[in-house]
Protein backbone atom coordinates (compact mmCIF):
# COMPACT_ATOMS: atom_id res chain seq x y z
CA UNK A 1 0.00 0.00 0.00
CA UNK A 2 1.43 3.37 -1.01
CA UNK A 3 2.06 5.94 1.66
CA UNK A 4 0.29 9.27 1.58
CA UNK A 5 2.78 12.07 1.28
CA UNK A 6 0.80 15.22 1.73
CA UNK A 7 2.05 18.65 2.59
CA UNK A 8 0.06 19.97 5.51
CA UNK A 9 1.66 23.40 5.12
CA UNK A 10 -0.79 24.17 2.34
CA UNK A 11 0.94 22.88 -0.79
CA UNK A 12 -1.81 20.45 -1.66
CA UNK A 13 -0.63 20.12 -5.23
CA UNK A 14 1.03 16.77 -4.74
CA UNK A 15 0.01 13.50 -6.24
CA UNK A 16 -1.12 10.53 -4.20
CA UNK A 17 -0.07 7.20 -5.63
CA UNK A 18 -2.50 4.31 -5.98
CA UNK A 19 -2.49 0.93 -7.68
CA UNK A 20 -1.79 1.76 -11.35
CA UNK A 21 -3.12 5.30 -10.92
CA UNK A 22 -2.35 8.52 -9.11
CA UNK A 23 -4.69 11.31 -8.08
CA UNK A 24 -4.10 15.00 -7.62
CA UNK A 25 -6.12 18.19 -7.51
CA UNK A 26 -7.19 19.58 -10.90
CA UNK A 27 -4.92 22.23 -12.46
CA UNK A 28 -5.42 24.83 -15.22
CA UNK A 29 -3.16 22.80 -17.53
CA UNK A 30 -5.56 19.84 -17.35
CA UNK A 31 -8.24 21.72 -19.29
CA UNK A 32 -7.65 20.27 -22.78
CA UNK A 33 -7.44 16.65 -21.60
CA UNK A 34 -10.43 17.11 -19.30
CA UNK A 35 -12.65 18.74 -21.96
CA UNK A 36 -11.67 16.13 -24.54
CA UNK A 37 -12.36 13.21 -22.21
CA UNK A 38 -15.63 14.58 -20.84
CA UNK A 39 -16.79 15.58 -24.35
CA UNK A 40 -16.07 12.12 -25.76
CA UNK A 41 -17.86 10.55 -22.76
CA UNK A 42 -20.94 12.79 -22.74
CA UNK A 43 -23.52 10.10 -23.54
CA UNK A 44 -21.85 7.72 -21.05
CA UNK A 45 -21.82 10.22 -18.17
CA UNK A 46 -24.89 12.45 -18.47
CA UNK A 47 -27.53 9.86 -17.40
CA UNK A 48 -25.80 9.71 -14.00
CA UNK A 49 -24.79 13.32 -13.35
CA UNK A 50 -26.40 16.69 -12.62
CA UNK A 51 -27.43 18.29 -15.94
CA UNK A 52 -24.50 19.78 -17.84
CA UNK A 53 -24.61 23.54 -18.42
CA UNK A 54 -24.66 25.07 -21.93
CA UNK A 55 -20.98 25.94 -21.63
CA UNK A 56 -20.01 22.90 -19.54
CA UNK A 57 -16.83 22.14 -21.48
CA UNK A 58 -15.69 25.73 -22.15
CA UNK A 59 -12.42 27.12 -20.85
CA UNK A 60 -14.33 29.84 -18.94
CA UNK A 61 -16.50 27.26 -17.16
CA UNK A 62 -13.39 25.24 -16.33
CA UNK A 63 -11.75 28.36 -14.84
CA UNK A 64 -14.87 28.94 -12.71
CA UNK A 65 -14.79 25.29 -11.65
CA UNK A 66 -11.16 25.59 -10.55
CA UNK A 67 -11.91 28.79 -8.60
CA UNK A 68 -14.73 26.99 -6.79
CA UNK A 69 -12.47 24.00 -6.13
CA UNK A 70 -9.74 26.27 -4.73
CA UNK A 71 -12.19 27.96 -2.35
CA UNK A 72 -13.61 24.62 -1.24
CA UNK A 73 -10.18 23.06 -0.71
CA UNK A 74 -9.03 26.10 1.24
CA UNK A 75 -12.15 25.99 3.43
CA UNK A 76 -11.81 22.24 3.95
CA UNK A 77 -15.23 21.69 2.35
CA UNK A 78 -14.16 19.36 -0.41
CA UNK A 79 -11.24 17.52 -1.94
CA UNK A 80 -11.58 17.16 -5.72
CA UNK A 81 -9.14 14.87 -7.51
CA UNK A 82 -8.46 13.95 -11.11
CA UNK A 83 -7.38 10.37 -11.77
CA UNK A 84 -4.35 9.66 -13.96
CA UNK A 85 -3.06 6.37 -15.32
CA UNK A 86 0.37 5.83 -13.79
CA UNK A 87 2.02 4.35 -16.90
CA UNK A 88 1.57 7.44 -19.11
CA UNK A 89 -0.01 10.17 -16.92
CA UNK A 90 -3.19 10.12 -19.06
CA UNK A 91 -6.27 11.66 -17.43
CA UNK A 92 -8.82 8.85 -17.03
CA UNK A 93 -11.46 10.23 -14.63
CA UNK A 94 -12.22 11.96 -11.37
CA UNK A 95 -12.98 11.25 -7.70
CA UNK A 96 -14.22 13.91 -5.29
CA UNK A 97 -14.86 14.09 -1.58
CA UNK A 98 -17.44 16.81 -1.11
CA UNK A 99 -19.57 18.18 1.69
CA UNK A 100 -16.89 17.42 4.27
CA UNK A 101 -18.49 17.83 7.67
CA UNK A 102 -16.49 18.08 10.88
CA UNK A 103 -17.75 18.29 14.47
CA UNK A 104 -19.77 15.28 15.51
CA UNK A 105 -20.13 14.02 11.91
CA UNK A 106 -16.55 13.71 10.48
CA UNK A 107 -18.10 12.63 7.19
CA UNK A 108 -17.78 13.31 3.47
CA UNK A 109 -19.70 12.41 0.32
CA UNK A 110 -17.91 10.49 -2.42
CA UNK A 111 -18.42 11.06 -6.15
CA UNK A 112 -16.59 9.54 -9.12
CA UNK A 113 -16.58 9.22 -12.90
CA UNK A 114 -14.49 7.50 -15.55
CA UNK A 115 -13.93 8.51 -19.17
CA UNK A 116 -15.84 6.04 -21.33
CA UNK A 117 -12.72 4.80 -23.13
CA UNK A 118 -11.10 4.06 -19.76
CA UNK A 119 -14.01 2.37 -18.01
CA UNK A 120 -13.84 -1.18 -16.66
CA UNK A 121 -10.05 -1.17 -16.39
CA UNK A 122 -9.87 -0.87 -12.61
CA UNK A 123 -8.84 2.80 -12.58
CA UNK A 124 -11.81 4.21 -10.65
CA UNK A 125 -11.73 1.40 -8.10
CA UNK A 126 -8.01 2.02 -7.50
CA UNK A 127 -8.56 5.79 -7.33
CA UNK A 128 -11.46 5.50 -4.88
CA UNK A 129 -9.30 3.26 -2.64
CA UNK A 130 -6.59 5.91 -2.76
CA UNK A 131 -9.00 8.72 -1.90
CA UNK A 132 -10.49 6.64 0.92
CA UNK A 133 -7.01 6.31 2.42
CA UNK A 134 -6.68 10.08 2.15
CA UNK A 135 -10.11 10.53 3.78
CA UNK A 136 -9.45 8.19 6.69
CA UNK A 137 -5.69 8.57 7.24
CA UNK A 138 -5.08 12.21 6.33
CA UNK A 139 -8.42 13.95 6.91
CA UNK A 140 -9.18 11.63 9.82
CA UNK A 141 -12.78 11.21 8.77
CA UNK A 142 -14.93 8.65 10.50
CA UNK A 143 -17.23 7.88 7.60
CA UNK A 144 -17.57 8.29 3.82
CA UNK A 145 -20.97 8.23 2.14
CA UNK A 146 -22.00 7.63 -1.44
CA UNK A 147 -25.34 7.76 -3.22
CA UNK A 148 -26.22 6.18 -6.52
CA UNK A 149 -29.23 5.73 -8.75
CA UNK A 150 -30.83 2.31 -8.18
CA UNK A 151 -30.27 1.27 -11.82
CA UNK A 152 -26.57 2.24 -11.82
CA UNK A 153 -25.28 -1.32 -11.55
CA UNK A 154 -21.59 -0.46 -12.22
CA UNK A 155 -21.56 2.18 -9.46
CA UNK A 156 -23.33 -0.07 -6.96
CA UNK A 157 -20.95 -2.96 -7.71
CA UNK A 158 -17.95 -0.66 -7.31
CA UNK A 159 -19.13 0.49 -3.87
CA UNK A 160 -19.84 -3.04 -2.68
CA UNK A 161 -16.43 -4.20 -3.92
CA UNK A 162 -14.75 -1.42 -1.92
CA UNK A 163 -16.43 -2.34 1.35
CA UNK A 164 -19.33 0.09 1.41
CA UNK A 165 -22.56 -1.10 2.97
CA UNK A 166 -26.01 -0.30 1.64
CA UNK A 167 -27.80 1.78 4.25
CA UNK A 168 -31.05 2.92 2.76
CA UNK A 169 -33.02 4.68 0.08
CA UNK A 170 -33.30 8.46 0.05
CA UNK A 171 -36.34 9.81 -1.77
CA UNK A 172 -35.67 12.40 -4.49
CA UNK A 173 -32.17 12.81 -3.05
CA UNK A 174 -30.41 14.50 -6.00
CA UNK A 175 -31.44 16.24 -9.19
CA UNK A 176 -29.83 14.07 -11.86
CA UNK A 177 -29.94 15.04 -15.51
CA UNK A 178 -32.70 17.51 -14.62
CA UNK A 179 -34.94 15.16 -12.61
CA UNK A 180 -35.23 14.64 -8.82
CA UNK A 181 -34.29 11.01 -8.35
CA UNK A 182 -34.40 8.53 -5.48
CA UNK A 183 -30.91 7.26 -4.56
CA UNK A 184 -29.54 4.21 -2.80
CA UNK A 185 -27.30 5.34 0.07
CA UNK A 186 -24.05 3.59 0.95
CA UNK A 187 -21.58 4.20 3.74
CA UNK A 188 -18.16 3.04 4.73
CA UNK A 189 -16.76 3.60 8.20
CA UNK A 190 -13.09 4.02 9.03
CA UNK A 191 -13.24 0.73 10.93
CA UNK A 192 -14.96 -1.08 8.02
CA UNK A 193 -11.67 -1.00 6.19
CA UNK A 194 -10.65 -4.32 4.81
CA UNK A 195 -8.25 -3.33 2.02
C1 LIG B 1 -19.27 3.74 -12.24
C2 LIG B 1 -17.93 4.02 -12.92
C3 LIG B 1 -17.30 5.24 -12.28
C4 LIG B 1 -17.02 2.79 -12.71
O1 LIG B 1 -15.72 3.14 -13.16
P1 LIG B 1 -14.69 2.07 -13.75
O2 LIG B 1 -13.40 2.77 -13.95
O3 LIG B 1 -15.29 1.40 -14.90
O4 LIG B 1 -14.60 1.06 -12.52
P2 LIG B 1 -13.47 -0.06 -12.33
O5 LIG B 1 -12.99 -0.57 -13.65
O6 LIG B 1 -12.47 0.46 -11.37
O7 LIG B 1 -14.31 -1.22 -11.65
C5 LIG B 1 -14.37 -1.40 -10.24
C6 LIG B 1 -15.55 -2.28 -9.93
O8 LIG B 1 -16.76 -1.59 -10.27
C7 LIG B 1 -17.72 -2.53 -10.76
N1 LIG B 1 -18.02 -2.23 -12.17
C8 LIG B 1 -17.45 -1.29 -12.96
N2 LIG B 1 -18.03 -1.29 -14.16
C9 LIG B 1 -18.99 -2.23 -14.14
C10 LIG B 1 -19.95 -2.69 -15.10
N3 LIG B 1 -20.03 -2.16 -16.33
N4 LIG B 1 -20.81 -3.66 -14.71
C11 LIG B 1 -20.78 -4.20 -13.48
N5 LIG B 1 -19.87 -3.80 -12.53
C12 LIG B 1 -19.00 -2.83 -12.86
C13 LIG B 1 -17.07 -3.89 -10.61
O9 LIG B 1 -17.35 -4.38 -9.31
C14 LIG B 1 -15.62 -3.54 -10.74
O10 LIG B 1 -14.77 -4.50 -10.17
P3 LIG B 1 -14.33 -5.78 -11.09
O11 LIG B 1 -13.80 -5.21 -12.37
O12 LIG B 1 -13.31 -6.47 -10.25
O13 LIG B 1 -15.58 -6.57 -11.33
C15 LIG B 1 -18.09 4.25 -14.45
O14 LIG B 1 -18.86 3.19 -14.97
C16 LIG B 1 -18.74 5.56 -14.79
O15 LIG B 1 -18.08 6.60 -14.85
N6 LIG B 1 -20.06 5.54 -15.05
C17 LIG B 1 -20.77 6.73 -15.46
C18 LIG B 1 -20.81 7.81 -14.39
C19 LIG B 1 -21.29 7.28 -13.06
O16 LIG B 1 -22.09 6.38 -12.98
N7 LIG B 1 -20.79 7.88 -11.98
C20 LIG B 1 -21.17 7.47 -10.63
C21 LIG B 1 -22.44 8.13 -10.21
S1 LIG B 1 -22.95 7.53 -8.62
Amino acid sequence: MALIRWDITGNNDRRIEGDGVFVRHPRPGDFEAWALLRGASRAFLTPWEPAWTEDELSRAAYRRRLRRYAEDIQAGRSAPFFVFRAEDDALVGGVTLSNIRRGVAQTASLGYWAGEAHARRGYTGAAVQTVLRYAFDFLNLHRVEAATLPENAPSRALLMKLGFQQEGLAREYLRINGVWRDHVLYGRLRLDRTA
Side-chain angles (χ1 to χ4, degrees):
M1 177 182 287
L3 288 174
I4 293 177
R5 270 172 267 109
W6 203 258
D7 185 346
I8 55 170
T9 60
N11 176 15
N12 286 351
D13 215 19
R14 302 224 175 150
R15 56 194 245 180
I16 313 176
E17 312 289 340
D19 185 9
V21 298
F22 66 88
V23 304
R24 64 159 169 75
H25 291 325
R27 295 177 185 161
D30 297 323
F31 170 71
E32 278 84 6
W34 174 86
L36 207 64
L37 185 61
R38 300 272 302 172
S41 309
R42 180 185 284 261
F44 178 68
L45 296 173
T46 49
W48 316 108
E49 296 192 350
W52 289 18
T53 57
E54 285 280 305
D55 69 341
E56 180 79 18
L57 299 178
S58 73
R59 193 176 283 277
Y62 185 75
R63 269 197 222 104
R64 287 198 299 276
R65 178 184 290 270
L66 285 203
R67 269 202 298 276
R68 201 172 61 243
Y69 284 166
E71 286 168 12
D72 287 350
I73 292 166
Q74 184 69 25
R77 279 191 297 266
S78 75
F81 295 102
F82 281 170
V83 181
F84 299 87
R85 183 166 54 203
E87 68 186 45
D88 60 357
D89 293 3
L91 176 71
V92 295
V95 176
T96 294
L97 291 170
S98 60
N99 198 16
I100 297 170
R101 280 161 287 151
R102 294 300 190 171
V104 292
Q106 301 296 335
T107 298
S109 302
L110 176 75
Y112 40 81
W113 62 275
E116 183 171 12
H118 304 298
R120 211 64 219 259
R121 301 217 159 104
Y123 300 141
T124 310
V128 168
Q129 296 241 38
T130 308
V131 171
L132 286 174
R133 282 204 327 270
Y134 173 78
F136 292 128
D137 297 347
F138 180 74
L139 295 180
N140 282 317
L141 296 181
H142 172 66
R143 173 184 165 83
V144 171
E145 301 172 348
T148 179
L149 288 172
E151 70 271 27
N152 194 342
S155 181
R156 296 183 70 166
L158 181 147
L159 291 169
M160 293 302 288
K161 184 180 172 185
L162 298 184
F164 282 76
Q165 292 188 23
Q166 186 174 323
E167 296 181 331
L169 184 78
R171 294 179 307 137
E172 300 195 359
Y173 186 66
L174 295 174
R175 195 169 157 92
I176 296 298
N177 209 11
V179 183
W180 288 106
R181 298 290 314 276
D182 296 351
H183 278 69
V184 186
L185 301 182
Y186 289 84
R188 185 167 146 179
L189 306 181
R190 171 199 282 274
L191 295 179
D192 283 341
R193 285 191 296 170
T194 50

